[in-house]
Amino acid sequence: MKLLILNGPNLNLLGVREPEIYGRKTYADLENYIRAEALRLGCEVEIRQSNHEGELVDWIQQALGRVDGIVINPAAYTHTSVAILDALKAVSLPAVEVHLSDVDEREPFRRISYAGLACRKTFKSFGFEGYRMAMDFLCSDA
Ligand code: DQA
């Protein structure tokens, strides 16, 4: 089982950006966490982060025929990107949406998720653990 883990804009600044919301752990910590949990679950992961919408779209398209599922935290593009939604629909791979914070308890605009419309499940507000839950879901239930 191979999973593509995609992270959107500003997640590279974890540890620095709004630590009261996202915590003090860095993006490197997140990558290490995902790799360790993937090893435990017995799945292979490819982890990518981009601040550019088109690059995320390219990576989703290129996932077709290469991976068995996608875990995606589109970050701010969650709430704006029809292009990412369409790319997920186009490849039709099992996908799960993750958010570190509780997007439903923040500003009203964060309650809208376009990408989520193409995802089988959403894990929000669990911090790093949401990625483990998403990988577990795709490895066992999808
Ligand atoms: C986020 C929530 C988004 O609203 C925000 O724009 C992010 C991170 C999260 O993981 O909680 O950048 O996706």
Side-chain angles (χ1 to χ4, degrees):
M1 184 90 181
K2 182 167 177 179
L3 300 177
L4 174 64
I5 317 289
L6 283 183
N7 287 307
N10 301 306
L11 288 168
N12 55 312
L13 289 186
L14 281 180
V16 175
R17 72 179 290 212
E18 300 179 274
E20 64 288 357
I21 295 174
Y22 299 110
R24 296 258 170 218
K25 291 196 174 147
T26 65
Y27 185 72
D29 293 332
L30 176 61
E31 283 204 346
N32 289 335
Y33 173 84
I34 292 169
R35 284 188 213 291
E37 291 303 317
L39 202 65
R40 234 175 35 80
L41 290 167
C43 63
E44 198 185 329
V45 284
E46 186 177 312
I47 310 171
R48 292 177 181 225
Q49 187 277 330
S50 179
N51 294 327
H52 305 277
E53 185 177 16
E55 193 161 40
L56 292 162
V57 168
D58 286 344
W59 290 339
I60 293 167
Q61 289 186 6
Q62 289 158 15
L64 193 58
R66 283 200 324 112
V67 305
D68 304 297
I70 298 176
V71 173
I72 184 162
N73 182 346
Y77 290 137
T78 306
H79 321 296
T80 62
S81 180
V82 177
I84 289 175
L85 167 64
D86 283 350
L88 289 169
K89 281 181 156 178
V91 297
S92 189
L93 285 161
V96 174
E97 176 186 22
V98 173
H99 298 288
L100 297 163
S101 65
D102 190 346
V103 280
D104 292 328
E105 296 298 324
R106 297 177 62 190
E107 302 94 322
F109 64 83
R110 292 186 205 274
R111 290 187 202 137
I112 293 163
S113 171
Y114 290 99
L117 297 172
C119 291
R120 295 194 179 184
K121 217 167 167 65
T122 297
F123 293 102
K124 58 171 179 79
S125 81
F126 297 110
F128 285 10
E129 229 190 304
Y131 289 81
R132 201 245 322 134
M133 294 160 123
M135 292 191 291
D136 199 7
F137 176 82
L138 286 171
C139 284
S140 38
D141 303 337

mmCIF file of all heavy atoms in Angstrom, residues 8-11 14 17-18 21-22 73-79 98-103 106-107 109-110 124-125 131, ligand 1:
data_model
loop_
_atom_site.group_PDB
_atom_site.id
_atom_site.type_symbol
_atom_site.label_atom_id
_atom_site.label_comp_id
_atom_site.label_asym_id
_atom_site.label_seq_id
_atom_site.Cartn_x
_atom_site.Cartn_y
_atom_site.Cartn_z
ATOM 1 N N GLY A 8 -0.341 21.521 2.021
ATOM 2 C CA GLY A 8 -0.452 22.778 1.297
ATOM 3 C C GLY A 8 0.307 23.935 1.926
ATOM 4 O O GLY A 8 1.186 23.736 2.782
ATOM 5 N N PRO A 9 -0.042 25.149 1.510
ATOM 6 C CA PRO A 9 0.729 26.348 1.838
ATOM 7 C C PRO A 9 0.862 26.634 3.330
ATOM 8 O O PRO A 9 -0.078 26.422 4.101
ATOM 9 C CB PRO A 9 -0.045 27.473 1.148
ATOM 10 C CG PRO A 9 -1.390 26.924 0.876
ATOM 11 C CD PRO A 9 -1.213 25.453 0.678
ATOM 12 N N ASN A 10 2.050 27.101 3.665
ATOM 13 C CA ASN A 10 2.405 27.573 5.016
ATOM 14 C C ASN A 10 2.599 26.457 6.035
ATOM 15 O O ASN A 10 3.022 26.729 7.155
ATOM 16 C CB ASN A 10 1.375 28.587 5.545
ATOM 17 C CG ASN A 10 1.250 29.795 4.635
ATOM 18 O OD1 ASN A 10 2.259 30.424 4.331
ATOM 19 N ND2 ASN A 10 0.062 30.088 4.158
ATOM 20 N N LEU A 11 2.329 25.220 5.637
ATOM 21 C CA LEU A 11 2.574 24.126 6.591
ATOM 22 C C LEU A 11 4.077 23.914 6.788
ATOM 23 O O LEU A 11 4.503 23.380 7.806
ATOM 24 C CB LEU A 11 1.869 22.846 6.147
ATOM 25 C CG LEU A 11 0.336 22.925 6.307
ATOM 26 C CD1 LEU A 11 -0.362 21.777 5.604
ATOM 27 C CD2 LEU A 11 -0.069 22.970 7.780
ATOM 28 N N LEU A 14 5.322 25.308 10.105
ATOM 29 C CA LEU A 14 4.861 24.775 11.394
ATOM 30 C C LEU A 14 5.951 24.977 12.444
ATOM 31 O O LEU A 14 7.141 24.843 12.151
ATOM 32 C CB LEU A 14 4.558 23.271 11.289
ATOM 33 C CG LEU A 14 3.233 22.881 10.651
ATOM 34 C CD1 LEU A 14 3.107 21.357 10.622
ATOM 35 C CD2 LEU A 14 2.058 23.503 11.387
ATOM 36 N N ARG A 17 4.569 29.401 12.727
ATOM 37 C CA ARG A 17 3.296 30.075 12.423
ATOM 38 C C ARG A 17 2.272 29.803 13.539
ATOM 39 O O ARG A 17 2.057 28.665 13.946
ATOM 40 C CB ARG A 17 2.746 29.636 11.065
ATOM 41 C CG ARG A 17 2.192 28.220 11.053
ATOM 42 C CD ARG A 17 1.623 27.800 9.722
ATOM 43 N NE ARG A 17 0.403 28.467 9.370
ATOM 44 C CZ ARG A 17 -0.562 27.892 8.640
ATOM 45 N NH1 ARG A 17 -0.442 26.648 8.209
ATOM 46 N NH2 ARG A 17 -1.647 28.555 8.333
ATOM 47 N N GLU A 18 1.661 30.847 14.010
ATOM 48 C CA GLU A 18 0.561 30.761 14.973
ATOM 49 C C GLU A 18 0.656 29.534 15.893
ATOM 50 O O GLU A 18 -0.215 28.658 15.857
ATOM 51 C CB GLU A 18 -0.769 30.734 14.220
ATOM 52 C CG GLU A 18 -0.989 31.973 13.365
ATOM 53 C CD GLU A 18 -2.301 31.922 12.589
ATOM 54 O OE1 GLU A 18 -2.310 31.351 11.489
ATOM 55 O OE2 GLU A 18 -3.289 32.440 13.111
ATOM 56 N N ILE A 21 -2.204 27.977 17.706
ATOM 57 C CA ILE A 21 -3.176 27.150 16.961
ATOM 58 C C ILE A 21 -2.530 25.838 16.509
ATOM 59 O O ILE A 21 -3.109 24.764 16.651
ATOM 60 C CB ILE A 21 -3.702 27.903 15.714
ATOM 61 C CG1 ILE A 21 -4.495 29.135 16.138
ATOM 62 C CG2 ILE A 21 -4.573 26.981 14.838
ATOM 63 C CD1 ILE A 21 -4.926 30.028 14.984
ATOM 64 N N TYR A 22 -1.301 25.944 15.968
ATOM 65 C CA TYR A 22 -0.696 24.773 15.317
ATOM 66 C C TYR A 22 0.385 24.086 16.153
ATOM 67 O O TYR A 22 0.899 23.048 15.740
ATOM 68 C CB TYR A 22 -0.121 25.182 13.957
ATOM 69 C CG TYR A 22 -1.169 25.725 13.020
ATOM 70 C CD1 TYR A 22 -1.193 27.080 12.674
ATOM 71 C CD2 TYR A 22 -2.160 24.900 12.507
ATOM 72 C CE1 TYR A 22 -2.166 27.587 11.825
ATOM 73 C CE2 TYR A 22 -3.143 25.405 11.656
ATOM 74 C CZ TYR A 22 -3.142 26.748 11.322
ATOM 75 O OH TYR A 22 -4.117 27.237 10.487
ATOM 76 N N ASN A 73 -3.735 17.598 3.328
ATOM 77 C CA ASN A 73 -4.072 18.787 4.105
ATOM 78 C C ASN A 73 -3.836 19.962 3.153
ATOM 79 O O ASN A 73 -2.708 20.437 3.010
ATOM 80 C CB ASN A 73 -3.190 18.916 5.346
ATOM 81 C CG ASN A 73 -3.576 20.133 6.182
ATOM 82 O OD1 ASN A 73 -4.316 21.004 5.709
ATOM 83 N ND2 ASN A 73 -3.061 20.210 7.397
ATOM 84 N N PRO A 74 -4.882 20.411 2.475
ATOM 85 C CA PRO A 74 -4.685 21.468 1.479
ATOM 86 C C PRO A 74 -4.445 22.840 2.103
ATOM 87 O O PRO A 74 -4.304 23.825 1.378
ATOM 88 C CB PRO A 74 -6.000 21.464 0.688
ATOM 89 C CG PRO A 74 -6.796 20.282 1.168
ATOM 90 C CD PRO A 74 -6.279 19.964 2.539
ATOM 91 N N ALA A 75 -4.454 22.893 3.446
ATOM 92 C CA ALA A 75 -4.256 24.158 4.176
ATOM 93 C C ALA A 75 -5.243 25.212 3.653
ATOM 94 O O ALA A 75 -6.406 24.905 3.463
ATOM 95 C CB ALA A 75 -2.798 24.590 4.105
ATOM 96 N N ALA A 76 -4.783 26.430 3.377
ATOM 97 C CA ALA A 76 -5.722 27.489 2.987
ATOM 98 C C ALA A 76 -6.464 27.172 1.686
ATOM 99 O O ALA A 76 -7.587 27.633 1.477
ATOM 100 C CB ALA A 76 -4.985 28.815 2.854
ATOM 101 N N TYR A 77 -5.843 26.357 0.808
ATOM 102 C CA TYR A 77 -6.521 25.999 -0.451
ATOM 103 C C TYR A 77 -7.762 25.141 -0.215
ATOM 104 O O TYR A 77 -8.597 25.005 -1.125
ATOM 105 C CB TYR A 77 -5.561 25.283 -1.403
ATOM 106 C CG TYR A 77 -4.490 26.174 -1.979
ATOM 107 C CD1 TYR A 77 -3.173 25.738 -2.070
ATOM 108 C CD2 TYR A 77 -4.796 27.451 -2.443
ATOM 109 C CE1 TYR A 77 -2.185 26.546 -2.596
ATOM 110 C CE2 TYR A 77 -3.812 28.270 -2.972
ATOM 111 C CZ TYR A 77 -2.509 27.812 -3.050
ATOM 112 O OH TYR A 77 -1.521 28.605 -3.575
ATOM 113 N N THR A 78 -7.875 24.572 0.979
ATOM 114 C CA THR A 78 -9.086 23.828 1.346
ATOM 115 C C THR A 78 -10.329 24.647 1.026
ATOM 116 O O THR A 78 -11.309 24.134 0.481
ATOM 117 C CB THR A 78 -9.105 23.580 2.877
ATOM 118 O OG1 THR A 78 -7.895 22.958 3.259
ATOM 119 C CG2 THR A 78 -10.303 22.745 3.307
ATOM 120 N N HIS A 79 -10.228 25.945 1.418
ATOM 121 C CA HIS A 79 -11.415 26.799 1.425
ATOM 122 C C HIS A 79 -11.600 27.593 0.132
ATOM 123 O O HIS A 79 -12.520 28.389 0.035
ATOM 124 C CB HIS A 79 -11.323 27.770 2.618
ATOM 125 C CG HIS A 79 -10.763 27.128 3.849
ATOM 126 N ND1 HIS A 79 -11.402 26.097 4.497
ATOM 127 C CD2 HIS A 79 -9.606 27.326 4.545
ATOM 128 C CE1 HIS A 79 -10.675 25.718 5.537
ATOM 129 N NE2 HIS A 79 -9.572 26.439 5.580
ATOM 130 N N VAL A 98 -7.137 16.031 6.003
ATOM 131 C CA VAL A 98 -6.651 16.218 7.380
ATOM 132 C C VAL A 98 -6.473 17.711 7.656
ATOM 133 O O VAL A 98 -6.007 18.461 6.797
ATOM 134 C CB VAL A 98 -5.286 15.510 7.589
ATOM 135 C CG1 VAL A 98 -4.686 15.839 8.952
ATOM 136 C CG2 VAL A 98 -5.429 13.997 7.457
ATOM 137 N N HIS A 99 -6.863 18.127 8.852
ATOM 138 C CA HIS A 99 -6.533 19.465 9.341
ATOM 139 C C HIS A 99 -6.015 19.349 10.764
ATOM 140 O O HIS A 99 -6.632 18.663 11.585
ATOM 141 C CB HIS A 99 -7.756 20.392 9.318
ATOM 142 C CG HIS A 99 -8.276 20.595 7.941
ATOM 143 N ND1 HIS A 99 -7.605 21.354 7.011
ATOM 144 C CD2 HIS A 99 -9.348 20.091 7.319
ATOM 145 C CE1 HIS A 99 -8.266 21.316 5.874
ATOM 146 N NE2 HIS A 99 -9.324 20.558 6.025
ATOM 147 N N LEU A 100 -4.940 20.041 11.027
ATOM 148 C CA LEU A 100 -4.368 20.020 12.376
ATOM 149 C C LEU A 100 -5.328 20.661 13.375
ATOM 150 O O LEU A 100 -5.527 20.161 14.482
ATOM 151 C CB LEU A 100 -3.037 20.794 12.389
ATOM 152 C CG LEU A 100 -1.927 20.211 11.507
ATOM 153 C CD1 LEU A 100 -0.850 21.256 11.267
ATOM 154 C CD2 LEU A 100 -1.343 18.969 12.147
ATOM 155 N N SER A 101 -5.923 21.768 12.961
ATOM 156 C CA SER A 101 -6.792 22.534 13.868
ATOM 157 C C SER A 101 -8.262 22.167 13.639
ATOM 158 O O SER A 101 -8.591 21.456 12.697
ATOM 159 C CB SER A 101 -6.592 24.032 13.607
ATOM 160 O OG SER A 101 -7.037 24.362 12.300
ATOM 161 N N ASP A 102 -9.107 22.706 14.499
ATOM 162 C CA ASP A 102 -10.537 22.459 14.337
ATOM 163 C C ASP A 102 -11.121 23.558 13.462
ATOM 164 O O ASP A 102 -11.563 24.603 13.944
ATOM 165 C CB ASP A 102 -11.233 22.427 15.711
ATOM 166 C CG ASP A 102 -12.653 21.923 15.581
ATOM 167 O OD1 ASP A 102 -13.165 21.861 14.446
ATOM 168 O OD2 ASP A 102 -13.254 21.573 16.613
ATOM 169 N N VAL A 103 -11.115 23.296 12.165
ATOM 170 C CA VAL A 103 -11.529 24.317 11.204
ATOM 171 C C VAL A 103 -12.982 24.780 11.403
ATOM 172 O O VAL A 103 -13.334 25.896 11.023
ATOM 173 C CB VAL A 103 -11.312 23.838 9.744
ATOM 174 C CG1 VAL A 103 -9.872 23.997 9.334
ATOM 175 C CG2 VAL A 103 -11.768 22.401 9.539
ATOM 176 N N ARG A 106 -13.277 27.832 13.994
ATOM 177 C CA ARG A 106 -12.495 29.048 13.741
ATOM 178 C C ARG A 106 -13.343 30.039 12.923
ATOM 179 O O ARG A 106 -14.547 30.093 13.106
ATOM 180 C CB ARG A 106 -11.175 28.663 13.053
ATOM 181 C CG ARG A 106 -10.306 27.761 13.957
ATOM 182 C CD ARG A 106 -9.039 27.308 13.274
ATOM 183 N NE ARG A 106 -8.184 28.443 12.926
ATOM 184 C CZ ARG A 106 -7.100 28.352 12.153
ATOM 185 N NH1 ARG A 106 -6.746 27.175 11.656
ATOM 186 N NH2 ARG A 106 -6.376 29.422 11.884
ATOM 187 N N GLU A 107 -12.719 30.833 12.060
ATOM 188 C CA GLU A 107 -13.494 31.792 11.280
ATOM 189 C C GLU A 107 -14.497 31.036 10.383
ATOM 190 O O GLU A 107 -14.177 29.953 9.879
ATOM 191 C CB GLU A 107 -12.581 32.641 10.380
ATOM 192 C CG GLU A 107 -11.498 33.416 11.108
ATOM 193 C CD GLU A 107 -10.188 32.653 11.139
ATOM 194 O OE1 GLU A 107 -10.201 31.408 11.296
ATOM 195 O OE2 GLU A 107 -9.133 33.304 11.009
ATOM 196 N N PHE A 109 -15.257 31.238 7.305
ATOM 197 C CA PHE A 109 -14.814 30.826 5.963
ATOM 198 C C PHE A 109 -14.069 29.495 5.979
ATOM 199 O O PHE A 109 -13.947 28.826 4.954
ATOM 200 C CB PHE A 109 -13.967 31.916 5.278
ATOM 201 C CG PHE A 109 -12.653 32.227 5.958
ATOM 202 C CD1 PHE A 109 -11.533 31.432 5.721
ATOM 203 C CD2 PHE A 109 -12.536 33.305 6.812
ATOM 204 C CE1 PHE A 109 -10.316 31.710 6.326
ATOM 205 C CE2 PHE A 109 -11.319 33.592 7.420
ATOM 206 C CZ PHE A 109 -10.205 32.789 7.199
ATOM 207 N N ARG A 110 -13.562 29.090 7.167
ATOM 208 C CA ARG A 110 -12.839 27.809 7.239
ATOM 209 C C ARG A 110 -13.781 26.613 7.314
ATOM 210 O O ARG A 110 -13.359 25.466 7.289
ATOM 211 C CB ARG A 110 -11.876 27.801 8.433
ATOM 212 C CG ARG A 110 -10.724 28.760 8.265
ATOM 213 C CD ARG A 110 -9.701 28.633 9.377
ATOM 214 N NE ARG A 110 -8.964 29.868 9.537
ATOM 215 C CZ ARG A 110 -7.865 30.196 8.832
ATOM 216 N NH1 ARG A 110 -7.346 29.356 7.983
ATOM 217 N NH2 ARG A 110 -7.279 31.363 9.008
ATOM 218 N N LYS A 124 -10.072 16.281 11.646
ATOM 219 C CA LYS A 124 -9.688 17.642 12.009
ATOM 220 C C LYS A 124 -9.535 17.725 13.516
ATOM 221 O O LYS A 124 -10.178 16.959 14.252
ATOM 222 C CB LYS A 124 -10.743 18.643 11.522
ATOM 223 C CG LYS A 124 -12.122 18.367 12.083
ATOM 224 C CD LYS A 124 -13.103 19.462 11.787
ATOM 225 C CE LYS A 124 -14.462 19.142 12.349
ATOM 226 N NZ LYS A 124 -14.639 19.365 13.776
ATOM 227 N N SER A 125 -8.664 18.619 13.930
ATOM 228 C CA SER A 125 -8.447 18.968 15.346
ATOM 229 C C SER A 125 -7.655 17.934 16.143
ATOM 230 O O SER A 125 -7.538 18.066 17.353
ATOM 231 C CB SER A 125 -9.780 19.265 16.066
ATOM 232 O OG SER A 125 -10.413 18.073 16.458
ATOM 233 N N TYR A 131 -3.044 12.642 10.830
ATOM 234 C CA TYR A 131 -2.381 11.998 9.691
ATOM 235 C C TYR A 131 -2.318 10.488 9.903
ATOM 236 O O TYR A 131 -2.499 9.710 8.963
ATOM 237 C CB TYR A 131 -0.966 12.557 9.493
ATOM 238 C CG TYR A 131 -0.936 13.973 8.961
ATOM 239 C CD1 TYR A 131 -1.108 15.070 9.802
ATOM 240 C CD2 TYR A 131 -0.727 14.232 7.606
ATOM 241 C CE1 TYR A 131 -1.084 16.369 9.323
ATOM 242 C CE2 TYR A 131 -0.698 15.529 7.108
ATOM 243 C CZ TYR A 131 -0.886 16.593 7.978
ATOM 244 O OH TYR A 131 -0.864 17.887 7.490
HETATM 245 C C1 DQA B 1 -5.237 23.935 8.260
HETATM 246 C C2 DQA B 1 -6.474 24.811 8.461
HETATM 247 C C3 DQA B 1 -6.608 25.842 7.346
HETATM 248 O O1 DQA B 1 -7.771 26.627 7.547
HETATM 249 C C4 DQA B 1 -5.410 26.756 7.336
HETATM 250 O O2 DQA B 1 -5.493 27.661 6.260
HETATM 251 C C5 DQA B 1 -4.113 26.017 7.324
HETATM 252 C C6 DQA B 1 -3.983 24.783 8.106
HETATM 253 C C7 DQA B 1 -5.012 22.960 9.432
HETATM 254 O O3 DQA B 1 -4.248 22.029 9.272
HETATM 255 O O4 DQA B 1 -5.595 23.159 10.518
HETATM 256 O O5 DQA B 1 -3.137 26.470 6.745
HETATM 257 O O6 DQA B 1 -5.425 23.156 7.103
#
